[in-house]
Amino acid sequence: MMYLPNGLVRRCFIPGEEENTSPGFKTVKGSEKFRANGDATPAGIHPLHLTSTMQPLSRHREDITLLTGLDRPYKLGGDAHEQGASCYLSSVSPEEASDKKLRFLQGRTLDHVIGEKLGRGSPLKTLEISCNGFTKGKESMRFDNISWYDVDRVAPSLKDPQALYDRLFLSDDARYNDHLHEVTSLVLADAKSLSSKLGRSDKDTLDEFMTMVRDIETRMARLRKLIAEAGVARPTDEVLPRGEYIKLQCDLMIAALHMGITNVTTMMIGPERWNASMLYEGVFDKPVVHHAMSHNQRGDRYKQLQEIDLFHMEKYSYVLSRMKAVKEPDGSSLLDNSIVACGVGLGDGATHQYFDLPLMLAGRAQGGLRNNLHFQCPNGTPLSNAWLTIAQQLGVEIDHFSNSTGTLSALTS
Amino acid sequence: MRPVVCLFAFCLPAALPAKVFEEAIFPILQKSCLKCHGGEKTKGKVDFSRILTERDADAHPDLWETVAEVVELGEMPPDDEKPLSEEDKKTFELWHEKFQKVPSEATVPVFRVRRLSANEYRNTLRSLFGFDLEVGIARAEQTVSGESSLVLKILPPDPPGSSGFFNDTRSAPISSSLLESYTYLAGVALDKLFSVKGRVSLASMAGKGDDWDGMLSLADAETFLRSFLPKALRRSIPEKRFQSILATLEGKAGDTLASALKLELKALLISPEFLYRGFLAKPVGDGGRQAVDAFEFAERLSYFLWEDMPDASLFEVARNGGLEKEEKLAQQVKRMLSDPKARNLSESFGVQLLGLASIDDQFKNDPIRLHALRTQPRDFLNYLFTEDRPVMELLDSNVTFVNQNTSGFYGKDRQRLAPFHKPRGVERQRTMNQRLELRDAEGRGGILTMPSVLAMNHGPIIRGTWMLRRILGVRLGEPPADIPPIKPNARGQKLTFRQRFELHRENVTCARCHEKIDPLGFSLDGYDKNGRFLLASYHKRGNQPIIDTSGKLPSGEEFKDFAELKRILLSSKREQVIRHLTTQVLSYALCRKLGRGDQPVVEEITRKALLQNATWTQLFIEVANSIPFRQTVYKLVKDGTKLEN
């Protein structure tokens, strides 16, 4: 799952919206009236037309399906960007959220639901990656993480390529010496005696801690088998240009998938909002602030913003090419056996709209998925229908996900 | 709605219904405020949609302060919206009046365990082992001002908690990668302790002399454990626990003994009791509100003042119940502040209080200048905190700290500095700060006009917002995203930056914040982006335009330049500044955001500090002696689980 922050330039990305102009800054509520205008394309299956932003994907048109017109549920409260990222993959429906009095529709995310099933045999159930080079916590973690174990329980994304490498390949022996098992069992025994006289919240903290301790141990056992095979070099700690950095993170992600270290990964290609300037090398000659640009698409400014979309689209294309090049023993490619989704949490950076979201799916999921299509969903189709379809394609036996109303059967073959 | 409101307004003086907020205030918010401040639109980061009950309302005292202010001034609802009816206004005012009344008694929240922050963990490990864990590769001083601590290199930086401080780690949960980092660090530390490099530390803890050969006997291991275990867990350890560890070492010798001991120690170092504070705190009886036990209190004190575990002396005093009396506590605080570890108070609390970390980000390309700019305010804060200086000297002091790089800002005063020596062949070097008494330097004294702080915040708007938030404790929130940009000068128009902002203030929405920001910010226009004082008599300004630094605060005070503004801050704003600083110190000490129950304490300390012209030391003592610092509430669960052993 690849996530693009701060929306896309709609008129450059969505087929049929080429003539639209940006409505300027709108709040989520304010954006509602655009919904009434209807869709540019009638609902149903169309041949895939590659719009200007999608050009970097031309090599892969055979592998891609574009979905448009998906709606994400939204709950009043908090920031649109914050919800965009942290609730994008959430399994919580609006009803559940109001029952549990949640502030957002936030809860266990799709990757963990799938990881529960697909991760049983792999050392890591899921892998969370983010290409946010800032180490200081400028915004809350909800802007920077799309993967959550549960409400307010973040699955922290790895930002540093070295840290990511170490997590995947355990390059440092001192961290994993032979006594790990004895040590963890001592800690566990000790904690057992501790837990009896604690208050409720402290007990929860302790339980959480213990789960992590056990987790390390299981991981260790599975990983030992794979370490020897790792032929990837540990990244140096030099500061890379943004494109190189994203590519490096993608390379490590693909290595993890290839080696079977994990089967489910999420990748944020950049943080939501995060009003800090980043240098998109080869695009602009000085650092720019993506969020600020997304709010100002008047005149010709959208063309500059599109450059960033293209920059991100090239990275998606890069991932697809790499995955296509990785061959499995039976001659099929890694891409043939996967679903590589790429989507946005906001339909437009300027309007903060949470409806009419585009989503791209690539890969054949071992023949389960049709490609080279553009599927315009009927008005009001929940995004969770797409998530449910993906989950079912990957063999997860569930019949609903969040507020889903069914699967997108047009996509499956 | 109407009858309810009237009824409520009439009976208010006599008795308030139990659910005033839910029944009277919440509907008003729904009707008049939620459109812009709740839900997806949270203008100015004000979000009423999360405040549903009186309890929720209690948690946001600052918010209601602002609401009362804007309602009274008629700023909100804005002109293009329906105004509040007189009844609603009255209802709100009555409610706020009652709300505003600081509760007569302080309340204390339920006890929660808390994980050590990355800094606390590094310092604790250092004090425990007697050595630092450093990054393997040494780097040239001139090239990188990189992190040399292995701990800080490996542990992810803590996100600021809801209090805004990094030591408020409750919201950052433990993750398996974090736990792996702890495991790794514990391994590295133990390997070093049992190697030649750590022999001095090991010898002192095992009761051996300097000439020890490193061969550990069973008796040595016991001596070591009896010294190490209470230190690591920061309290006395029951004999049973020693015995159970000693039992596993029984009959072993040499390398087998050492590795068995290492194993036990490693388990200890990644146990929740070590990594968290509070798992071993001992409630009395069935829980409820009570004083924290002596060791927990010592721990609170030492992590507050040192960001580190208690030392032997504090531990001893705690064991003997010596911290219960205020005078004894005051003695301890004074002793601790004179210890070199108190430097962490300025390095951690001070830096976070004033947001000084952004210096590191801005000047990282020039290590020599960065060194000068980052150490100057830190040395100054350290001087205020540890040398018993009055609280208000933060804003007005005749002492500053200067090195070769910053000395040029201080006019003739720099002639009194000891000369800086430069070894041959070195072009630029880092020099230590020297303490400098200000006599002739114009426009200096206090943190606000310190060159490094002025260079960190250049531009009037950033300087103004910084001063509001960091000194006066006013948080404005984010600017709305749909503000029109400040208009550039049209052809032929020659408006100054200041005049363009005056135009900007004509927009009511903009004025709401800018009338607070601008006067403060523009008063510092006499200082350029490097912090140079342009208006000093020794700078020839020639034909440069006159710089206008006058202004008028929203509260009415007028000033013609920054010096006058400073006098206002020191007189009529004094209480506000002290209240803000007290709040921050208390919040840092308690590692949490303050609630309404803490307000009586803040008020009491502020009152005392105002009366006595208190020093920082007195402020720290007051905080350490306060109810929320000394007490807690334990809620114990009885779910029928039996105690192990």
Side-chain angles (χ1 to χ4, degrees), chain A residues 194-331:
Chain A
L194 184 65
S195 92
S196 47
K197 251 210 149 188
L198 290 174
R200 175 74 64 206
S201 59
D202 293 349
K203 210 171 191 149
D204 290 347
T205 313
L206 186 65
D207 289 346
E208 206 179 316
F209 185 88
M210 289 305 116
T211 319
M212 295 302 167
V213 173
R214 284 187 209 103
D215 196 40
I216 292 191
E217 214 186 324
T218 15
R219 251 164 55 60
M220 274 304 300
R222 291 174 187 172
L223 259 165
R224 284 230 174 77
K225 291 181 193 157
L226 287 163
I227 299 171
E229 301 166 23
V232 188
R234 189 168 192 263
T236 57
D237 64 353
E238 65 185 319
V239 176
L240 293 172
R242 186 149 182 80
E244 296 294 307
Y245 168 49
I246 297 175
K247 275 188 179 167
L248 177 58
Q249 296 280 71
C250 291
D251 285 344
L252 289 166
M253 174 179 84
I254 293 163
L257 290 168
H258 183 201
M259 290 171 58
I261 292 174
T262 187
N263 291 324
V264 186
T265 70
T266 52
M267 148 90 79
M268 278 191 93
I269 219 153
E272 276 289 352
R273 204 164 72 181
W274 222 278
N275 267 332
S277 48
M278 291 189 260
L279 179 66
Y280 296 85
E281 81 276 13
V283 182
F284 306 108
D285 46 10
K286 57 181 185 201
V288 294
V289 182
H290 187 195
H291 171 241
M293 289 172 73
S294 76
H295 277 295
N296 202 341
Q297 304 184 20
R298 292 193 189 97
D300 269 356
R301 297 224 179 111
Y302 75 91
K303 287 187 181 155
Q304 290 191 339
L305 183 59
Q306 189 198 4
E307 296 291 326
I308 296 183
D309 292 346
L310 281 167
F311 182 84
H312 289 155
M313 217 50 71
E314 276 159 20
K315 305 299 170 289
Y316 181 49
S317 172
Y318 173 77
V319 168
L320 298 184
S321 314
R322 284 287 320 272
M323 288 182 70
K324 204 165 189 174
V326 173
K327 295 291 177 206
E328 310 259 352
D330 64 357

Side-chain angles (χ1 to χ4, degrees), chain B residues 228-286:
Chain B
F228 189 85
L229 221 57
K231 268 166 66 186
L233 299 180
R234 285 109 47 192
R235 56 179 56 237
S236 310
I237 301 300
E239 182 59 25
K240 209 168 54 182
R241 189 151 184 173
F242 286 115
Q243 291 308 333
S244 75
I245 298 180
L246 288 172
T248 65
L249 305 178
E250 198 59 54
K252 297 194 171 91
D255 286 348
T256 4
L257 176 64
S259 62
L261 183 59
K262 261 165 92 172
L263 189 74
E264 291 291 337
L265 294 176
K266 189 159 180 187
L268 178 74
L269 292 176
I270 57 169
S271 71
E273 296 120 305
F274 175 73
L275 294 172
Y276 285 74
R277 280 171 51 187
F279 269 126
L280 295 173
K282 287 210 170 54
V284 184
D286 289 337

Side-chain angles (χ1 to χ4, degrees), chain A residues 54-279:
Chain A
M54 288 177 82
Q55 285 311 320
L57 297 169
S58 55
R59 272 181 298 168
H60 299 292
R61 68 176 302 148
E62 302 282 302
D63 301 308
I64 298 177
T65 290
L66 173 67
L67 294 166
T68 47
L70 292 163
D71 292 5
R72 185 165 64 78
Y74 186 84
K75 187 170 189 292
L76 291 185
D79 184 271
H81 291 279
E82 195 174 13
Q83 287 204 35
S86 65
C87 310
Y88 188 57
L89 298 171
S90 169
S91 62
V92 171
S93 67
E95 292 74 33
E96 262 177 274
S98 60
D99 282 354
K100 291 185 190 161
K101 298 215 163 51
L102 298 180
R103 196 181 144 204
F104 298 139
L105 299 166
Q106 195 200 38
R108 195 167 179 79
T109 48
L110 179 70
D111 52 327
H112 295 288
V113 174
I114 298 175
E116 202 58 54
K117 168 91 181 178
L118 294 192
R120 284 202 193 130
S122 63
L124 295 177
K125 280 184 187 162
T126 58
L127 179 65
E128 298 80 25
I129 305 173
S130 153
C131 302
N132 174 8
F134 297 97
T135 48
K136 295 246 156 45
K138 187 176 185 338
E139 303 263 27
S140 90
M141 47 193 168
R142 278 185 285 272
F143 289 87
D144 197 18
N145 286 287
I146 51 172
S147 177
W148 297 76
Y149 294 117
D150 207 338
V151 192
D152 286 340
R153 289 277 165 256
V154 67
S157 55
L158 292 159
K159 304 173 176 181
D160 175 10
Q162 282 192 338
L164 176 58
Y165 178 87
D166 288 346
R167 180 151 174 83
L168 293 177
F169 308 114
L170 306 174
S171 60
D172 231 324
D173 328 315
R175 196 183 287 195
Y176 303 100
N177 65 26
D178 300 334
H179 300 298
L180 195 91
H181 177 71
E182 286 104 310
V183 171
T184 48
S185 37
L186 277 174
V187 175
L188 290 171
D190 177 50
K192 234 181 185 174
S193 72
L194 184 65
S195 92
S196 47
K197 251 210 149 188
L198 290 174
R200 175 74 64 206
S201 59
D202 293 349
K203 210 171 191 149
D204 290 347
T205 313
L206 186 65
D207 289 346
E208 206 179 316
F209 185 88
M210 289 305 116
T211 319
M212 295 302 167
V213 173
R214 284 187 209 103
D215 196 40
I216 292 191
E217 214 186 324
T218 15
R219 251 164 55 60
M220 274 304 300
R222 291 174 187 172
L223 259 165
R224 284 230 174 77
K225 291 181 193 157
L226 287 163
I227 299 171
E229 301 166 23
V232 188
R234 189 168 192 263
T236 57
D237 64 353
E238 65 185 319
V239 176
L240 293 172
R242 186 149 182 80
E244 296 294 307
Y245 168 49
I246 297 175
K247 275 188 179 167
L248 177 58
Q249 296 280 71
C250 291
D251 285 344
L252 289 166
M253 174 179 84
I254 293 163
L257 290 168
H258 183 201
M259 290 171 58
I261 292 174
T262 187
N263 291 324
V264 186
T265 70
T266 52
M267 148 90 79
M268 278 191 93
I269 219 153
E272 276 289 352
R273 204 164 72 181
W274 222 278
N275 267 332
S277 48
M278 291 189 260
L279 179 66

Side-chain angles (χ1 to χ4, degrees), chain A residues 352-390:
Chain A
H352 285 168
Q353 69 192 60
Y354 52 94
F355 52 86
D356 280 356
L357 303 178
L359 174 71
M360 287 176 288
L361 299 180
R364 292 215 165 67
Q366 295 181 339
L369 213 59
R370 291 170 67 191
N371 297 125
N372 200 2
L373 300 172
H374 168 206
F375 182 50
Q376 171 71 46
C377 302
N379 239 341
T381 307
L383 176 63
S384 47
N385 282 12
W387 299 153
L388 181 65
T389 313
I390 293 178

Side-chain angles (χ1 to χ4, degrees), chain A residues 27-28 77 190 198 202 219, chain B residues 39-41 113 180 273 635 637:
Chain A
T27 57
V28 174
D190 177 50
L198 290 174
D202 293 349
R219 251 164 55 60
Chain B
E40 101 284 340
K41 217 161 150 188
V113 295
E180 279 161 20
E273 296 120 305
K635 265 202 184 137
V637 271

Side-chain angles (χ1 to χ4, degrees), chain B residues 462-495:
Chain B
I462 294 177
R463 283 176 182 170
T465 356
W466 184 87
M467 212 194 294
L468 270 177
R469 173 171 169 200
R470 305 287 178 173
I471 305 295
L472 293 165
V474 178
R475 296 196 72 148
L476 297 167
E478 297 268 311
D482 50 354
I483 39 168
I486 309 293
K487 284 202 184 81
N489 271 333
R491 185 187 285 266
Q493 204 178 16
K494 280 191 184 146
L495 295 178

